[in-house]
Amino acid sequence: MISPAFYFLLPVIDAVVQTAGVNAVPALHRVDCVKANELCTGDLACSSKYRTLRQCLAGSASMVTGPEAKNECISAMEVVQQSPLYNCRCKRGMKNEKRCLRIYWSIHQSFMHGFTITGHDLVGSPYEPLNNRLSDIFRAASIISGAEPLGSKGNNCLDAAKACNLNDNCKKFRSMYISLCAAHVSASEICNRRKCHRALRQFFDRVPAKYTYGMLFCSCRDMACIERRRQTIVPICSYQDKEKPNCLSLADMCKTNYICRSRLADFITNCQPEPRSTSGCLRQNYAACLLAYSGLIGTVITPNYIDSTGISVAPWCTCIGSGNQKEECDEFHNFFKDNRCFKNAIQAFGNGTDVNVWQLIPPVPTTASSKHIYTPQDNPESVSNEIHSVDDDNVFPLCANLQCDSYCET
C-alpha cells in the first residue's frame, strides 16, 4: 500500500524529472536494475541518497511536508537521476527478475498510485526495449513449421504445435504447462492455477518466439483452427473461473504483484493505439506489442481469445456492477477487446510485415483539447484473422490486411 507521503512527494518528483531529466544517464549506458543497485551501493553518495529517497516515498506525510525535508527529497532524487538506477531496466524471464522489478518500481512508483490507459501518465515499461523485427520471427516460424507463409489452406495452429513438438526445448516446456494446467486437484478444485500460471510464464519466457508466436497468433480460416488457438493456454485452468471478477478489481490485484504489474505496464506501453498512425500503434513496433501480450499470460490478468469469429481478446473479468467507475472499467476492458494496435500486430505477424519506418500522420489543427483519449476501434468485429495473399512474397502492401480506415483510402 502506498504511503500518504507519496502523494505529497509526487509534485516534487515530477518537477525534478522535468528540470533534470535531460541530464539523466543515457539509455546507451543502461544496465539491469540489479546491477545498477550494486553500482549505487558501492558509491557512498548514491547509496546515501537512494536510502533517503526510499524514506521519502515510504515515510509519513509529516516527514516530507516540511521545507527542509522536501529539499532533502529533491536532492536525493537529483542524485539518483544521475545514477545508473534511474534508467535501469529488466529483462523478461531473467534470473532475479522479481528483485530487478522491485528495484525499478522503488524509483518509478507513480504507476502504482493511478491507472491510466491513455498513455500520457504512464511511467513506461520496466523491460528492455525489443529490437527484433517481426518479419524475422515470422519467417523463422514459417520455415520451422513448413507452412506456407501466405495463402495456406491448412491448420496453421496445428502446424505450429507439430513444429513445437519437434524442438526439444519447446516440447519440454509445453508438456510441462499442459500437464500442470490439465491436472485435476480435487472435486472442487479443477487445477492448481498458481502452478499452471508459473509453467505458462516459463513457456513464453524461455521458448523462442518463432515457436510460441506460431501457436498463439496463428492465422485461422476455420473453426477447428480458431478453437485450437483458443485452447493453446489451457483456458479451463489458466483463464476461466467460477465467477468473473470486476475488471478494475482484477487490475488492482495485478498491481500488487511486481511481475503482473510490470507485464501490464509493458502491454499498455507497447500496445498503445494511435489513431494518427497508419500502423495503429503509438510505438510503431508490432513485435514489442506481441511480446508484451504474451508476457501477460500466466499472470492474474491472463487474457485469451473471447469469440469464435475474430481476434478479440480480454481478461476473464466484467464491468457489471462498476457503479460510477463504469467508464474507467470499460476503458480497461476495451483496451484488450478493441485494441487496433494489437489486432494489427497479430495480422502483421501472419503477413510477416514490420513497422519500423512508418510515421505518425501529422495531427489536424484543432481548437479542442489536445489530450489524447483512447477510442475503441470502429466495428471491431469486422477484423478477421484471415491472411490474404499478395503477388510478391517479399513485398507487402502498406495496408495489406490492416484496418487503416481513412489513412489508406483508394
Side-chain angles (χ1 to χ4, degrees):
M1 186 172 182
I2 305 304
S3 164
F6 179 63
Y7 297 98
F8 287 94
L9 188 59
L10 275 175
V12 177
I13 294 177
D14 289 341
V16 174
V17 170
Q18 290 172 7
T19 58
V22 292
N23 297 319
V25 178
L28 290 175
H29 305 294
R30 198 154 55 195
V31 295
D32 71 66
C33 295
V34 175
K35 179 63 176 177
N37 186 61
E38 293 174 356
L39 293 172
C40 183
T41 302
D43 181 272
L44 185 60
C46 181
S47 59
S48 174
K49 293 298 184 180
Y50 184 34
R51 283 196 301 271
T52 300
L53 179 61
R54 286 186 296 181
Q55 290 172 357
C56 291
L57 295 171
S60 64
S62 61
M63 292 177 62
V64 297
T65 53
E68 184 177 344
K70 281 184 177 180
N71 289 336
E72 288 185 12
C73 291
I74 292 174
S75 175
M77 188 62 180
E78 287 175 340
V79 171
V80 170
Q81 272 199 303
Q82 304 305 317
S83 77
L85 276 170
Y86 188 72
N87 274 317
C88 73
R89 293 293 185 274
C90 303
K91 294 181 180 178
R92 203 178 81 168
M94 67 180 286
K95 183 180 180 181
N96 296 322
E97 180 183 0
K98 188 174 290 186
R99 182 188 172 198
C100 182
L101 294 171
R102 186 183 298 116
I103 295 169
Y104 174 88
W105 289 114
S106 72
I107 304 295
H108 304 273
Q109 290 197 57
S110 60
F111 180 76
M112 297 170 64
H113 82 279
F115 183 84
T116 177
I117 296 293
T118 60
H120 293 292
D121 302 315
L122 289 175
V123 168
S125 173
Y127 293 107
E128 279 286 351
L130 181 71
N131 296 318
N132 288 5
R133 289 166 54 86
L134 190 59
S135 58
D136 293 338
I137 301 172
F138 162 82
R139 292 188 187 100
S142 298
I143 293 171
I144 289 170
S145 67
E148 290 295 326
L150 297 167
S152 174
K153 296 182 179 180
N155 187 323
N156 292 329
C157 296
L158 178 60
D159 290 340
K162 290 178 179 178
C164 177
N165 285 334
L166 294 176
N167 176 269
D168 291 340
N169 189 52
C170 187
K171 182 179 180 180
K172 170 189 171 183
F173 284 104
R174 180 170 180 254
S175 299
M176 187 184 302
Y177 86 71
I178 288 177
S179 62
L180 288 171
C181 296
H184 284 256
V185 176
S186 64
S188 59
E189 191 175 4
I190 196 168
C191 67
N192 188 319
R193 176 169 288 192
R194 183 181 61 82
K195 290 184 177 180
C196 172
H197 278 176
R198 184 171 58 189
L200 277 167
R201 290 200 306 273
Q202 289 179 335
F203 175 74
F204 287 104
D205 287 351
R206 300 185 184 182
V207 176
K210 59 189 178 184
Y211 295 106
T212 60
Y213 283 19
M215 297 171 59
L216 193 59
F217 306 122
C218 39
S219 172
C220 289
R221 294 171 179 266
D222 55 56
M223 288 299 300
C225 178
I226 290 173
E227 181 60 18
R228 188 176 191 93
R229 181 176 61 192
R230 194 185 72 83
Q231 291 291 336
T232 295
I233 64 171
V234 194
I236 194 172
C237 178
S238 68
Y239 179 66
Q240 299 165 206
D241 208 343
K242 295 178 182 178
E243 296 181 358
K244 282 190 175 183
N246 181 271
C247 293
L248 293 182
S249 298
L250 193 67
D252 287 338
M253 188 186 307
C254 175
K255 287 187 286 181
T256 64
N257 178 280
Y258 284 112
I259 297 287
C260 188
R261 180 199 309 157
S262 301
R263 302 293 175 93
L264 180 58
D266 193 45
F267 178 68
I268 293 172
T269 299
N270 287 301
C271 294
Q272 183 67 218
E274 172 50 65
R276 297 173 298 158
S277 167
T278 305
S279 71
C281 298
L282 180 66
R283 291 295 181 99
Q284 308 282 359
N285 191 328
Y286 283 157
C289 179
L290 296 185
L291 179 65
Y293 175 84
S294 68
L296 281 171
I297 297 174
T299 69
V300 296
I301 215 148
T302 295
N304 197 24
Y305 297 97
I306 58 174
D307 59 55
S308 58
T309 58
I311 49 178
S312 292
V313 301
W316 182 263
C317 65
T318 180
C319 287
I320 296 175
S322 296
N324 59 5
Q325 291 185 300
K326 180 67 162 58
E327 185 177 349
E328 183 182 357
C329 185
D330 286 339
E331 184 182 25
F332 174 80
H333 189 265
N334 288 337
F335 189 84
F336 288 86
K337 181 175 178 288
D338 298 330
N339 190 314
R340 180 183 174 214
C341 174
F342 175 65
K343 289 184 177 183
N344 287 355
I346 294 179
Q347 293 187 313
F349 173 71
N351 279 334
T353 53
D354 284 310
V355 194
N356 54 356
V357 295
W358 295 355
Q359 302 296 321
L360 291 177
I361 294 177
V364 177
T366 177
T367 56
S369 171
S370 60
K371 182 177 180 182
H372 168 62
I373 301 297
Y374 166 65
T375 304
Q377 177 186 351
D378 293 333
N379 298 322
E381 297 305 322
S382 66
V383 180
S384 70
N385 193 24
E386 179 178 339
I387 308 300
H388 302 288
S389 61
V390 292
D391 294 332
D392 186 347
D393 287 346
N394 297 313
V395 179
F396 298 92
L398 184 63
C399 295
N401 237 13
L402 301 181
Q403 293 295 104
C404 292
D405 301 326
S406 59
Y407 307 122
C408 297
E409 294 179 354
T410 56

